[in-house]
């Protein structure tokens, strides 16, 4: 709900030069909190970790209107990142607990359908609210949506069998809690692929406005609808034909989308690119999740998922940071950034082709 309007909000506060930090700071704390969320998911349970993340969203929605300075806003972006650092890790572990292993790809694809629906409706609703009301109303509305999520979470049953009571020692993190060796391959692909998403989140709102697109959330609607159309099938096909070939397909679509968005400097070109980008993410997301769960040890499933998400946050955060630093409000540079990102995608494709050949 907030992402399409945050660049304009930060500019209003006088911090236009910090636009790259909107996503980068958020993903920094999300990434830093992943080892803790992974360990807590495997010890105190899936449900408490989900709730922690959602409560952070509720609090932040009420604090944005209060901390209405550039430094206050950036501080909140840091804090807000804990929401993404906690909830998705536990949700993926929860889904893998209740679904047979031969259908993990399909199940995580279905989970992705709902994730993508929120991702599609959120920016559209957020931009609609901002067009008719104020930024404060937008922030409070995001808190209300998060509150509804908490209500739903209280009705689910805990799936962790050997659940422990929380102890301060649970917060002690070792090297193996930060990076699960078994999940390094999907983590690498996740990092290379999702650097593009940090760029998209940072630059597309301004690029859309430059091209004359009135609703800056339209790109996200189109890309997410495309993602919705393919997620379920992609997960199912990865169960049937194995993960790596499906990942190569997704990365190829991702490469094409970045070239299209950079080359065709029109609204129609951007929307075509968003469709292809949505298909790419729709293929990659459930397949990467399922591949991570495949490689994980049952008793440390949260740790493996957290490792994959650390890579995701690092990719998004660094993509946002470096694109923002190079962008500096100059829209002419957007295609160059998109082309540069496509190189990272080619590296990911090359790695998987080599892994497939040596398998």
């Amino acid at each position: 709900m907030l992402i399409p309007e945050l660049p304009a909000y930060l500019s209003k506060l006088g911090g236009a030069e910090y636009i790259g930090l909107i996503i980068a700071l958020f993903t920094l704390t999300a990434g830093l909190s992943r080892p803790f969320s992974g360990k807590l998911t495997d010890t105190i349970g899936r449900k408490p970790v989900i709730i922690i993340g959602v409560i952070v969203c509720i609090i932040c929605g009420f604090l944005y209107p209060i901390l209405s300075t550039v430094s206050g806003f950036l501080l909140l972006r840091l804090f807000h990142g804990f929401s993404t650092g906690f909830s998705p890790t536990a949700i993926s572990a929860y889904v893998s607990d209740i679904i047979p292993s031969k259908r993990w790809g399909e199940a995580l694809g279905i989970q992705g359908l709902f994730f993508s629906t929120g991702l599609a409706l959120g920016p559209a609703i957020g931009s609609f609210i901002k067009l008719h009301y104020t930024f404060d109303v937008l922030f409070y509305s995001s808190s209300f949506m998060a509150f509804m999520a908490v209500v739903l979470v209280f009705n689910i049953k805990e799936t962790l069998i050997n659940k422990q009571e929380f102890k301060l020692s649970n917060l002690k993190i070792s090297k193996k809690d930060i990076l699960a060796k078994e999940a390094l391959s999907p983590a690498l692909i996740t990092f290379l692929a999702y650097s593009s998403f940090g760029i998209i989140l940072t630059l597309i709102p301004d690029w859309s406005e430059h091209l004359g697109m009135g609703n800056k959330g339209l790109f996200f609607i189109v890309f997410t609808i495309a993602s919705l159309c393919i997620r379920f099938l992609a997960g199912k096909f990865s169960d049937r034909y194995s993960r790596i070939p499906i990942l190569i397909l997704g990365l190829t679509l991702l490469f094409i989308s970045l070239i299209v968005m950079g080359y065709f400097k029109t609204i129609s070109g951007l929307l075509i690119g968003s469709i292809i980008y949505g298909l790419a993410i729709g293929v990659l997301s459930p397949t990467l999740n399922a591949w991570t769960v495949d490689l994980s040890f049952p008793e440390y499933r949260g740790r493996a998922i957290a490792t994959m998400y650390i890579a995701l946050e690092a990719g998004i955060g660094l993509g946002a940071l470096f694109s923002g630093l190079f962008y500096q409000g100059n829209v002419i540079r957007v295609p160059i950034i998109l082309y540069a990102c496509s190189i990272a995608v080619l590296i990911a494709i090359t790695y998987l082709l080599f892994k497939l050949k040596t398998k």
Side-chain angles (χ1 to χ4, degrees), residues 35-36 39-40 43 166-178:
F36 297 97
K39 187 169 184 178
L40 291 174
T43 52
F166 173 77
K167 298 176 292 186
L168 285 178
S169 60
N170 294 141
L171 299 178
K172 186 178 180 181
I173 300 298
S174 64
K175 186 187 296 184
K176 65 180 181 180
D177 294 317
I178 299 174

Side-chain angles (χ1 to χ4, degrees), residues 239-279:
D239 287 334
R240 184 178 301 174
Y241 301 112
S242 82
R243 314 300 185 198
I244 294 180
I246 303 301
L247 287 173
I248 292 173
L249 171 62
L251 290 168
T252 302
L253 289 170
L254 181 58
F255 175 80
I256 294 171
S257 71
L258 293 169
I259 299 300
V260 169
M261 283 188 282
Y263 184 78
F264 296 101
K265 302 172 181 64
T266 61
I267 293 177
S268 59
L270 179 62
L271 292 179
I272 291 171
S274 71
I275 292 171
I276 302 172
Y277 187 80
L279 293 174

Side-chain angles (χ1 to χ4, degrees), residues 35 173-184 187 303-304 306-308 310-311:
I173 300 298
S174 64
K175 186 187 296 184
K176 65 180 181 180
D177 294 317
I178 299 174
L179 289 177
K181 291 182 179 179
E182 63 272 17
L184 288 181
R303 182 181 71 184
T307 296
M308 187 269 291
I310 289 171

Side-chain angles (χ1 to χ4, degrees), residues 59-327:
I59 295 171
C60 286
F62 282 98
L63 289 181
Y64 278 114
I66 297 173
L67 301 179
S68 54
T69 63
V70 172
S71 57
F73 172 84
L74 296 177
L75 180 64
L76 267 181
R77 290 307 290 167
L78 270 173
F79 178 61
H80 206 162
F82 282 104
S83 62
T84 299
F86 274 76
S87 293
T89 303
I91 290 170
S92 294
Y94 182 90
V95 171
S96 62
D97 287 343
I98 62 175
I99 300 295
S101 59
K102 63 181 180 180
R103 300 185 68 189
W104 276 338
E106 181 183 355
L108 291 166
I110 293 172
Q111 177 205 338
L113 286 175
F114 287 87
F115 175 83
S116 295
T117 301
L119 197 63
L121 295 179
I125 293 171
S127 290
F128 177 83
I129 291 172
K130 178 56 187 67
L131 283 171
H132 294 86
Y133 300 98
T134 64
F135 279 112
D136 287 1
V137 173
L138 173 60
F139 294 135
Y140 296 144
S141 298
S142 71
S143 286
F144 176 72
M145 293 292 279
F147 173 75
M148 291 176 64
V150 169
V151 173
L152 291 173
V153 172
F154 273 113
N155 290 321
I156 69 173
K157 294 181 179 179
E158 179 58 58
T159 57
L160 184 63
I161 297 174
N162 299 316
K163 182 180 176 182
Q164 304 173 21
E165 292 295 323
F166 173 77
K167 298 176 292 186
L168 285 178
S169 60
N170 294 141
L171 299 178
K172 186 178 180 181
I173 300 298
S174 64
K175 186 187 296 184
K176 65 180 181 180
D177 294 317
I178 299 174
L179 289 177
K181 291 182 179 179
E182 63 272 17
L184 288 181
S185 287
L188 175 62
I189 301 303
T190 299
F191 173 79
L192 293 171
Y194 277 87
S195 60
S196 68
F197 199 54
I199 293 170
I200 295 295
L201 293 175
T202 302
L203 302 183
I204 288 302
D206 280 5
W207 186 238
S208 300
E209 188 175 29
H210 171 72
L211 297 177
M213 190 182 292
N215 188 331
K216 289 179 282 187
L218 183 58
F219 174 92
F220 297 95
I221 298 171
V222 172
F223 120 72
T224 312
I225 290 174
S227 177
L228 285 172
C229 293
I230 198 69
R231 277 179 182 267
F232 174 71
L233 288 176
K236 200 166 187 177
F237 285 157
S238 76
D239 287 334
R240 184 178 301 174
Y241 301 112
S242 82
R243 314 300 185 198
I244 294 180
I246 303 301
L247 287 173
I248 292 173
L249 171 62
L251 290 168
T252 302
L253 289 170
L254 181 58
F255 175 80
I256 294 171
S257 71
L258 293 169
I259 299 300
V260 169
M261 283 188 282
Y263 184 78
F264 296 101
K265 302 172 181 64
T266 61
I267 293 177
S268 59
L270 179 62
L271 292 179
I272 291 171
S274 71
I275 292 171
I276 302 172
Y277 187 80
L279 293 174
I281 295 299
V283 170
L284 291 170
S285 179
T287 310
L288 284 167
N289 271 279
W291 193 23
T292 303
V293 174
D294 288 342
L295 299 173
S296 67
F297 302 116
E299 67 273 24
Y300 296 118
R301 189 162 290 154
R303 182 181 71 184
I305 294 170
T307 296
M308 187 269 291
Y309 275 120
I310 289 171
L312 182 143
E313 303 298 350
I316 294 175
L318 291 176
L321 178 62
F322 287 116
S323 64
L325 290 173
F326 182 73
Y327 172 53

